[in-house]
Amino acid sequence: MKKVKYLAMLLAAGMFAACSDNLEDTGAGNAGGTTPATGEGYVKVAINMPTTSGGMSRVDDSNIFEDGTTNEYAVKNGILVFFTDNEGAVTPENSATFVKAYPISLSNPSDGNVQVTTRYSYIGEAPMPNDGKQIYALAILNNNGLFSVSDGKLQIKDDASTESKDVFSTDNMTLAELQSKSKITTTSSVVTNEGFMMLNAPLAKAANYSAITSLSDVQTLVPVTVYEDKQTAQDRPASDIYVERVVAKVTLSGFKYDAKAATDKYTLSVATSDNESPFNDDKVALQGWALNVTNKTTKAVRDVSSITTWISSDYGTDNRFIGTNNIDGNNLYRIYWGIDNNYTGTYTVDNEFNIYTTDASITWNDQTSDANTEDNDHALYCLENTMDYGNQKQDQTTTVIIKTKYAAFPTEKNPYASFFMYGAQQKTYNVDDFIDNVEKTLDWETTHNGETLTINTTADGGTYTYATTIPTGQYNITSLFTITGGSATALTTDEAQKVYNALGNIRYYKDGASYYNTVLIRHFDDTNTDVVWNPSDRMYTQKHLGRYGVLRNNWYEIKVTGISGPGAPSIEDPDPNPDDETEGYIQTRINVLSWAKRNQDVEL
């Protein structure tokens, strides 16, 4: 079997301004909309949607972007949350405290079309700062019912009771409390018909590593100026707020698409570098694809509190964590990593990740971006899943599972018929040939004269073995066969052991079903995080941080570049081995473009 090869490139939080629409003041505490309520003034902000995001290369992150689909930019509602701190505060990310939240509404266009823009200007009420204080803003777009505002308090829906409760227990709570309390538990709560939830993107105040010495060199909360009247706010420049989507995006491509085909619209021919390979000219037909090992939770606001650790020399010298091009001419730069809820520490994998172990449990996406239309690239979305370098393991890394029908005998009447592989042999056998081999192994005519050996019609596709204790996810060889025409109905234990000793593990591809289970999603490519294993330990070190993982607002395009043989006959449990030890028959490439968008080519 061949090692899976990955070429990965990276992008992160996306955000340039383009066209503009207005977010209107809702008039809370202000019947006329021109005079603020007591203790309040007016603020003018420009909320910038994620459109471009850098970068495939740490040297130049300016020219590798693409737009997403219309629905990924739609905005239906918003909330502005204000914090306060002393003017000149060293680290407002840690010390600024909550003051008040305001709902902001977006008028829908009269023609009923989805309103899509990349920049929203807003003039509305905001709390006046006390003497010597600064006001900071956090934007929440498309709250999707998770966040709401009541009497100026920011509230979050309690999953257990479906009721809303205050996010901040007192008025002097910081952004950290919002991060700890806003544990989002499903992708569906942030990706709905009401739009993609977006919040402030953390940005570095310098591109040079040496200039990033503490969290004070990061801006998540945006400093804003509050004016005494609306007209003054109208006449002044807006404070730019850059937001990012809470989820990551994954698309799949690389198949030959035939829109006119009644079935099996997505196909691919098998080709290997070995001209003598028995798999050459086999074919696969895509049946669906899904994301596996996805995170069960994420923080509403991205956590970059360990940025000074990532940029230390132990983690490499390539500057991969910070972009090199500033945003809109501001001295702000994109950050390419984040800390999720299970980044480090002791935890149970099954409790933290959604892991598929059976086909029946998966809702398959049966289309790829090979058939994309202007507003549908058939993407899947998932919550952010990042990890410390030591946790880059197959049972903790978000993966693409690809389900196919494999034509082991493409010229036969039923090219997608059941077939078998066994032991270390790189060869496929049809049912008749496989039965003949088993019968020869058991000297069938002598031991079962007059009896017929067939495949059990109720047997599942998968791996069949012989052992005192059958491994999880595998089956006993005795259950693979049925005997008719005599007194015996199944192989004996001794016969099963004899078959196993002669053939090894038997892989049964029922009706040609073949799964490619471990297309691991890469974040940084070999340029930044190349793995040259030390044979004595085969362990990742700090310089490999970010090699694998999915980061919010990143678009990972998995492009299948080749298939060199059958995958597995069933869904397999991901194991705890390091990510780079995975093997398979699929080659892929990851590219990362705008959204951010990452493309990955894979070879099946």
Side-chain angles (χ1 to χ4, degrees):
M1 301 180 74
K2 297 183 178 180
K3 287 281 185 182
V4 178
K5 299 177 182 177
Y6 301 91
L7 296 174
M9 292 167 283
L10 149 68
L11 286 174
M15 20 188 139
F16 272 154
C19 53
S20 171
D21 281 297
N22 287 328
L23 285 166
E24 299 295 340
D25 179 7
T26 59
N30 170 20
T34 58
T35 305
T38 303
E40 294 180 289
Y42 280 97
V43 68
K44 182 179 182 180
V45 299
I47 301 175
N48 297 272
M49 303 279 287
T51 56
T52 57
S53 173
M56 180 172 63
S57 164
R58 299 285 67 74
V59 177
D60 180 6
D61 60 358
S62 60
N63 298 307
I64 50 175
F65 313 119
E66 288 186 5
D67 294 332
T69 57
T70 299
N71 66 309
E72 293 166 349
Y73 291 90
V75 173
K76 303 297 181 66
N77 56 67
I79 295 172
L80 280 180
V81 185
F82 291 100
F83 297 75
T84 189
D85 202 355
N86 294 325
E87 290 183 0
V90 176
T91 314
E93 307 299 308
N94 286 337
S95 57
T97 56
F98 169 72
V99 181
K100 194 171 182 179
Y102 298 78
I104 53 179
S105 62
L106 174 64
S107 300
N108 290 321
S110 58
D111 60 7
N113 293 330
V114 175
Q115 186 163 348
V116 177
T117 186
T118 57
R119 182 182 175 96
Y120 293 96
S121 295
Y122 167 79
I123 299 175
E125 290 183 0
M128 288 291 293
N130 294 328
D131 290 343
K133 297 287 186 178
Q134 171 67 55
I135 295 293
Y136 298 87
L138 172 77
I140 303 173
L141 301 185
N142 299 324
N143 65 73
N144 293 328
L146 183 66
F147 290 104
S148 59
V149 177
S150 177
D151 295 327
K153 300 291 187 181
L154 181 65
Q155 296 194 317
I156 189 169
K157 184 173 288 185
D158 184 348
D159 287 339
S161 64
T162 69
E163 295 180 356
S164 293
K165 60 183 181 182
D166 290 347
V167 173
F168 302 101
S169 56
T170 66
D171 286 346
N172 61 349
M173 292 292 105
T174 65
L175 181 65
E177 184 170 22
L178 174 61
Q179 287 177 319
S180 66
K181 286 192 174 182
S182 57
K183 185 176 283 189
I184 296 168
T185 56
T186 60
T187 303
S188 60
S189 65
V190 291
V191 179
T192 73
N193 291 333
E194 294 301 308
F196 286 62
M197 183 181 292
M198 307 176 213
L199 291 95
N200 287 29
L203 302 170
K205 297 178 183 178
N208 190 328
Y209 267 28
S210 61
I212 306 296
T213 60
S214 71
L215 197 59
S216 64
D217 299 311
V218 171
Q219 174 182 294
T220 302
L221 298 176
V222 176
V224 297
T225 302
V226 183
Y227 302 97
E228 292 185 353
D229 61 84
K230 190 172 185 178
Q231 185 59 53
T232 302
Q234 178 72 57
D235 295 339
R236 300 300 170 86
S239 300
D240 282 313
I241 300 175
Y242 297 97
V243 296
E244 61 185 2
R245 301 174 188 87
V246 174
V247 293
K249 173 179 178 176
V250 182
T251 53
L252 180 69
S253 66
F255 289 85
K256 180 181 178 181
Y257 174 67
D258 184 357
K260 297 181 180 179
T263 60
D264 304 329
K265 294 179 180 293
Y266 301 86
T267 57
L268 201 59
S269 296
V270 174
T272 72
S273 58
D274 179 4
N275 292 331
E276 302 300 320
S277 170
F279 306 128
N280 282 329
D281 300 323
D282 291 351
K283 296 183 183 300
V284 297
L286 179 72
Q287 301 300 290
W289 63 285
L291 302 180
N292 201 15
V293 195
T294 54
N295 228 331
K296 291 184 177 181
T297 67
T298 195
K299 303 172 183 179
V301 180
R302 180 152 57 110
D303 182 354
V304 296
S305 56
S306 293
I307 188 170
T308 54
T309 301
W310 309 335
I311 61 178
S312 69
S313 59
D314 289 340
Y315 286 74
T317 59
D318 59 340
N319 203 38
R320 66 185 180 274
F321 295 103
I322 301 175
T324 55
N325 286 274
N326 61 33
I327 300 170
D328 294 349
N330 296 316
N331 290 324
L332 297 171
Y333 301 81
R334 300 167 186 89
I335 299 173
Y336 299 106
W337 198 234
I339 301 172
D340 71 3
N341 286 317
N342 45 32
Y343 189 81
T344 57
T346 302
Y347 51 81
T348 302
V349 169
D350 288 342
N351 290 341
E352 298 295 330
F353 300 100
N354 299 299
I355 299 178
Y356 295 124
T357 57
T358 63
D359 185 320
S361 63
I362 299 176
T363 301
W364 295 99
N365 181 357
D366 61 1
Q367 298 191 73
T368 76
S369 60
D370 299 297
N372 70 336
T373 60
E374 182 177 352
D375 268 332
N376 192 351
D377 50 18
H378 307 295
L380 295 177
Y381 304 94
C382 63
L383 300 182
E384 184 173 74
N385 179 20
T386 59
M387 68 287 290
D388 201 3
Y389 63 90
N391 291 336
Q392 295 179 128
K393 301 175 182 179
Q394 294 169 37
D395 61 352
Q396 299 179 53
T397 301
T398 298
T399 301
V400 174
I401 301 177
I402 299 174
K403 177 183 179 180
T404 69
K405 289 191 304 184
Y406 190 94
F409 310 101
T411 61
E412 294 188 2
K413 183 177 180 180
N414 180 10
Y416 299 112
S418 298
F419 66 94
F420 295 84
M421 296 179 68
Y422 44 80
Q425 293 190 39
Q426 301 297 291
K427 185 178 180 180
T428 56
Y429 297 87
N430 64 25
V431 174
D432 290 341
D433 289 343
F434 173 68
I435 291 293
D436 285 346
N437 288 339
V438 173
E439 289 181 342
K440 289 176 182 177
T441 299
L442 298 176
D443 192 14
W444 193 260
E445 290 300 323
T446 301
T447 58
H448 289 270
N449 187 29
E451 296 178 335
T452 301
L453 182 69
T454 58
I455 301 300
N456 183 358
T457 57
T458 63
D460 293 323
T463 299
Y464 288 77
T465 191
Y466 173 85
T468 303
T469 302
I470 302 297
T472 301
Q474 297 185 15
Y475 304 94
N476 194 315
I477 285 177
T478 58
S479 65
L480 180 58
F481 302 98
T482 297
I483 302 174
T484 58
S487 58
T489 59
L491 296 183
T492 65
T493 298
D494 288 344
E495 289 174 327
Q497 183 176 12
K498 190 173 183 179
V499 171
Y500 174 77
N501 290 340
L503 305 182
N505 283 338
I506 297 168
R507 300 190 295 283
Y508 174 31
Y509 295 82
K510 188 173 185 177
D511 298 322
S514 176
Y515 301 84
Y516 301 90
N517 290 299
T518 51
V519 180
L520 300 163
I521 300 179
R522 283 277 301 276
H523 189 64
F524 290 113
D525 67 9
D526 286 337
T527 302
N528 307 112
T529 57
D530 189 22
V531 167
V532 179
W533 289 116
N534 181 339
S536 64
D537 55 32
R538 300 179 68 82
M539 298 291 289
Y540 293 112
T541 63
Q542 291 98 320
K543 70 178 182 179
H544 300 120
L545 179 66
R547 180 171 172 82
Y548 290 93
V550 291
L551 188 70
R552 70 184 64 200
N553 206 67
N554 278 244
W555 178 354
Y556 302 83
E557 183 180 68
I558 313 297
K559 183 176 182 181
V560 177
T561 58
I563 296 178
S564 56
S570 63
I571 302 294
E572 296 179 340
D573 288 345
D575 61 44
N577 291 332
D579 287 334
D580 283 277
E581 290 188 358
T582 185
E583 295 181 340
Y585 286 99
I586 184 169
Q587 289 93 41
T588 63
R589 184 176 65 232
I590 303 177
N591 296 316
V592 187
L593 304 174
S594 150
W595 206 72
K597 177 180 177 182
R598 294 179 183 280
N599 299 335
Q600 170 177 320
D601 287 340
V602 267
E603 186 170 316
L604 294 174

